[in-house]
Amino acid sequence: SQIPAMALPTGYQSAAGNVQFNQSGNVLNVSSQAARSIANYKTFDIANFETVRFNLPSASAAILNRVLG
């Protein structure tokens, strides 16, 4: 059986709002306690067996995810 390639976002970093990234296996948690945040990525792909979770402080909070290549 062939093992599928990982496709989670890569090259992630916080640009504003102190965004924290925590990858465990096929899950990437993206968290911020700021009302407005910006995260930069080199790539942003999610395979069908992977999960990206955004944890923000409220329903009115927002995060801009920029893929810069």
Side-chain angles (χ1 to χ4, degrees):
S1 166
Q2 185 176 358
I3 298 172
M6 298 297 280
L8 284 171
T10 64
Y12 39 80
Q13 67 180 43
S14 177
N18 194 28
V19 181
Q20 301 291 313
F21 305 89
N22 184 344
Q23 183 175 343
S24 178
N26 63 351
V27 177
L28 175 64
N29 288 296
V30 181
S31 305
S32 178
Q33 293 302 311
R36 301 286 180 262
S37 304
I38 300 173
N40 293 334
Y41 303 85
K42 181 177 180 184
T43 66
F44 198 103
D45 297 302
I46 306 169
N48 63 349
F49 58 90
E50 296 175 323
T51 302
V52 176
R53 291 191 185 113
F54 292 94
N55 305 301
L56 301 175
S58 71
S60 62
I63 185 167
L64 172 64
N65 295 289
R66 298 188 297 194
V67 181
L68 304 175

